[in-house]
Amino acid sequence: MTWRSDILQGLKADPNVSVLILGGGVNGVGLLRELALQGVDCLLVDKADFVAGASSKSSRMIHGGLRYLEHRELRLVRESLFERNRLLENAAHYVSPERTTIPLFSWLGGFLRSALIFTGFPVRPGSRGALPVKVGLWFYDFVTRKNRRTPTHYFTSREGSLRTIPGLNPAIVATATYWDAKITQAERLCIELIHDARRADPRCRAINYVRPVRLDGGAVVLADEAGGETVAVRPTVVVNATGAWVDKTNAALGLQTRYMGGTKGSHLVLDCPELHDAVGDRMVYYQHADGRVCIVFTFMGRVIMGSTDIRVGDPDAAECDDAEIEYMMTTLRGVFPNVRIPRGKILFTFCGVRPLPAEDKEVLANVSRGHAIEVIEAAPERPFPLYCLIGGKWTTFRAFAEQAADRLLPRLGVARRSATGGVPIGGGKDFPAAPGQRNEWIRGAARASGLAGDRVAVLLERYGTAAEAYARKVGAGGEHPLRSLPSYAVEEVGYILETEYVEHLADLVYRRSVIGLLGDARPEVLRELAAVAGRVLGWDAAREEQEVRLAAPPPIGSASSLTGSPLPLRERG
Ligand SMILES: Cc1cc2nc3c(=O)[nH]c(=O)nc-3n(C[C@H](O)[C@H](O)[C@H](O)COP(=O)(O)OP(=O)(O)OC[C@H]3O[C@@H](n4cnc5c(N)ncnc54)[C@H](O)[C@@H]3O)c2cc1C
């Protein structure tokens, strides 16, 4: 029996579950772990793959949110900075400090605008000069003064900035540099949260490609899109953590709501050594005159550029289109005027929808990034209350989960057992962050497994300390590099397929690894990965062929959110 049929058969035998969580983005899986650690049995379902929504499409900043200060969201910035520091500690295998530089084109520009926004006027944000940025960065440093995990900010003169970052637009007057953090493998951290939840309480289950389709006699009918069957579950409480899809999901449960007002954001992954060298080991953060924020940063040998804040109606239809690509190229030229990026340098694009609360604000950058919980009480035809998680940031998922659990636990009659603020996640447990500790760890794991030290170092970076279990399993001489992508081993891929809830090839390529993100999902790589998956998961040749087709990266400038969508039923094997 596979893990999927195990879960589905178990639910048929006993449909009762304390909490049914709909949606396996970071907020859903964060809540799953939070409740598992309190001893609450949960079932989490996602209509697509886990982390297929906004949580795999973010800019990967684990940050306070400098510009939210303008909107008097001091509590949110404070909470975000605390959560950032916790993730630096608890997920040190994937989250690390990120130096961030803001090019400044005036000294006082935007001060009046910032002051008006701060006092609540609906003014469109624009680029900011040195003074408003200074005030914001001072607050940033002040908030974390007692738990400082990153250096404090500094300003650099025009001459100094052009010396350090020679490609910058010479029209700058100075630059401001501060530290936030970035997450490399956001998708893997979510899978690790599921593993941790299952370890904490094996009654907690998570299943992808399953969605609620209707209510039937007070039960929620779930459809398994992979196997085609349905199963009815009887939850005490339901949590709708489906992000931008919250209202659509409520509709399936017979409820008309208008909580969400999503905005899309797009990213380009570039193979552009010229821009890579110009940006260096930092993130450059700039705001266009229209108020939209853009970023560019180096990532595992590539460069990622992103922009955000375009209103979308249907989250399933969001895509990184030509207009978005052109916009990002144009805004980049304002910061690095001499860097030329031919279209062929774009390896991959992705687009996601930020689950913002519905607000009638004309300026989307002004909509709050805070989070809230809307409760819809039980009704005769729906004998369970529905808790809808609205908004939020990747950075604050743990705090959001903690707050949601604190609302749910009294309702379930369960007392909180433990706090999660200091609990490491997955391969972040006992992670050797300091260089000396790291070398010692690598030497120890190499000795124990027989793998070469260089290879153990790669595995440590990819999986944190969870690498040790795999290294011991394969042992010396047990690995065979993929022909098409030798930095991955056949056995490594097999291990992921066996242990990480992979249903489709795209899950492996885009959400259990960074193969797709880095633009490495070439036809020969997909074919070789499909052959490995075929052996491990029992696919026949036709299914392998079909999976290769479905996992192909979308053409640049068209429907790039394809890999985040559930696969059409007619295309399943
Ligand atoms: C472009 C962009 C950049 C961002 N950058 C940052 C950043 O740098 N830092 C930061 O902190 N935050 C950032 N964010 C915000 C952050 O990504 C989101 O707030 C966060 O990922 C939301 O997580 P979620 O779990 O609520 O939603 P999602 O990740 O969207 O998860 C919702 C899940 O629900 C599933 N689902 C949908 N309908 C159903 C259904 N009917 N039944 C079951 N499952 C369903 C979907 O498949 C999906 O997996 C960014 C967002 C975007 C879009």
Side-chain angles (χ1 to χ4, degrees):
M1 206 187 266
T2 66
W3 63 273
R4 292 186 73 80
S5 51
D6 201 18
I7 293 178
L8 294 168
Q9 293 312 317
L11 289 170
K12 280 183 184 158
D14 179 4
N16 296 304
V17 51
S18 293
V19 180
L20 169 64
I21 302 173
L22 307 174
V26 71
N27 285 324
V29 298
L31 181 60
L32 180 76
R33 178 189 74 144
E34 184 78 33
L35 290 173
L37 285 164
Q38 316 314 323
V40 177
D41 67 294
C42 305
L43 170 69
L44 181 149
V45 302
D46 196 296
K47 72 165 183 163
D49 187 21
F50 305 121
V51 213
S55 301
S56 56
K57 311 290 177 0
S58 91
S59 304
R60 290 168 198 261
M61 290 157 71
I62 298 297
H63 65 151
L66 188 56
R67 72 196 176 88
Y68 311 148
L69 291 172
E70 243 175 15
H71 303 279
R72 288 167 298 158
E73 297 208 68
L74 306 191
R75 196 195 61 80
L76 172 65
V77 174
R78 203 164 174 277
E79 182 179 63
S80 303
L81 286 171
F82 273 102
E83 290 304 317
R84 179 198 74 182
N85 285 356
R86 285 184 168 126
L87 279 167
L88 282 166
E89 201 80 48
N90 296 332
H93 55 322
Y94 296 147
V95 180
S96 56
E98 173 88 323
R99 187 163 46 150
T100 307
T101 292
I102 309 175
L104 301 163
F105 289 89
S106 71
W107 293 107
L108 300 178
F111 189 70
L112 180 62
R113 189 170 41 227
S114 292
L116 285 172
I117 295 173
F118 189 81
T119 45
F121 281 87
V123 179
R124 185 176 288 280
S127 57
R128 296 178 189 82
L131 184 60
V133 169
K134 179 77 192 168
V135 174
L137 289 176
W138 174 82
F139 183 80
Y140 237 52
D141 289 342
F142 179 76
V143 168
T144 47
R145 70 195 180 286
K146 289 193 180 138
N147 176 24
R148 194 167 302 296
R149 297 267 317 161
T150 53
T152 52
H153 79 271
Y154 62 86
F155 275 62
T156 309
S157 67
R158 174 180 180 277
E159 291 68 31
S161 304
L162 293 176
R163 251 195 321 274
T164 337
I165 316 173
L168 269 185
N169 188 337
I172 55 164
V173 298
T175 55
T177 297
Y178 67 106
W179 268 258
D180 250 322
K182 74 157 178 280
I183 179 162
T184 48
Q185 305 212 52
E187 302 78 5
R188 290 202 51 80
L189 199 76
C190 289
I191 301 298
E192 292 186 353
L193 283 165
I194 298 176
H195 280 322
D196 289 354
R198 290 189 52 73
R199 258 193 294 272
D201 188 334
R203 293 174 308 157
C204 285
R205 292 160 288 182
I207 183 164
N208 47 8
Y209 298 100
V210 167
R211 69 163 83 207
V213 282
R214 63 178 183 279
L215 293 180
D216 186 4
V220 181
V221 179
L222 302 174
D224 169 20
E225 306 213 354
E229 58 182 326
T230 58
V231 57
V233 296
R234 295 192 177 276
T236 310
V237 177
V238 174
V239 177
N240 181 347
T242 58
W245 291 267
V246 159
D247 294 320
K248 273 184 142 183
T249 308
N250 283 347
L253 300 176
L255 289 158
Q256 297 311 314
T257 54
R258 193 181 163 260
Y259 293 138
M260 306 311 299
T263 65
K264 79 166 181 176
S266 299
H267 291 82
L268 312 181
V269 182
L270 308 167
D271 176 18
C272 183
E274 197 190 339
L275 184 58
H276 192 281
D277 292 350
V279 173
D281 185 15
R282 69 180 74 233
M283 172 177 278
V284 178
Y285 175 105
Y286 46 103
Q287 192 152 19
H288 196 52
D290 63 4
R292 288 175 67 192
V293 169
C294 297
I295 50 166
V296 57
F297 58 100
T298 50
F299 184 86
M300 297 185 177
R302 311 282 192 244
V303 182
I304 298 186
M305 272 170 75
S307 76
T308 188
D309 285 335
I310 296 185
R311 177 85 76 201
V312 288
D314 180 1
D316 287 312
E319 62 178 38
C320 174
D321 51 28
D322 283 335
E324 274 290 84
I325 295 177
E326 196 43 49
Y327 178 85
M328 283 186 263
M329 295 295 188
T330 306
T331 52
L332 184 79
R333 279 195 286 276
V335 182
F336 293 104
N338 298 322
V339 175
R340 293 278 161 264
I341 308 175
R343 199 140 165 135
K345 297 277 180 193
I346 306 174
L347 297 176
F348 184 62
T349 65
F350 57 97
C351 173
V353 180
R354 199 184 280 273
L356 293 184
E359 286 185 24
D360 289 329
K361 288 195 171 141
E362 195 198 321
V363 183
L364 298 172
N366 291 351
V367 177
S368 171
R369 265 58 170 165
H371 50 252
I373 302 167
E374 295 284 347
V375 184
I376 304 173
E377 289 300 342
E381 72 289 357
R382 186 177 32 77
F384 51 81
L386 179 66
Y387 284 64
C388 302
L389 306 191
I390 314 293
K393 298 166 59 182
W394 218 108
T395 309
T396 48
F397 81 87
R398 195 211 59 86
F400 198 3
E402 185 175 71
Q403 289 150 21
D406 284 341
R407 301 270 297 269
L408 293 167
L409 291 173
R411 192 142 201 165
L412 298 165
V414 175
R416 179 174 274 284
R417 285 184 191 168
S418 62
T420 45
V423 179
I425 304 170
K429 189 164 190 288
D430 302 325
F431 186 75
Q437 293 172 330
R438 185 174 173 277
N439 293 340
E440 200 180 314
W441 193 94
I442 291 170
R443 271 196 302 274
R447 241 192 334 267
S449 64
L451 291 182
D454 287 359
R455 175 67 183 149
V456 172
V458 168
L459 294 173
L460 178 65
E461 192 187 326
R462 240 172 233 170
Y463 309 108
T465 51
E468 195 174 7
Y470 165 73
R472 278 179 186 271
K473 185 172 182 244
V474 289
E479 280 197 313
H480 300 84
L482 290 179
R483 281 187 313 280
S484 56
L485 195 61
S487 69
Y488 281 84
V490 172
E491 293 71 19
E492 178 186 0
V493 170
Y495 189 73
I496 294 175
L497 290 162
E498 274 168 10
T499 58
E500 298 195 344
Y501 325 106
V502 173
E503 183 60 25
H504 292 286
L505 186 61
D507 306 344
L508 169 71
V509 172
Y510 298 100
R511 291 171 290 275
R512 307 297 184 277
S513 71
V514 285
I515 294 173
L517 180 65
L518 296 182
D520 287 329
R522 300 181 296 277
E524 67 278 17
V525 174
L526 294 181
R527 276 196 298 273
E528 194 175 0
L529 290 173
V532 179
R535 282 195 298 278
V536 176
L537 302 178
W539 295 344
D540 60 18
R543 172 78 187 263
E544 281 177 28
E545 190 59 34
Q546 182 185 45
E547 292 290 340
V548 167
R549 199 160 39 80
L550 291 169
I556 305 300
S558 70
S560 60
S561 58
L562 181 72
T563 54
S565 307
L567 299 160
L569 280 172
R570 64 188 152 73
E571 298 206 289
R572 300 265 158 66

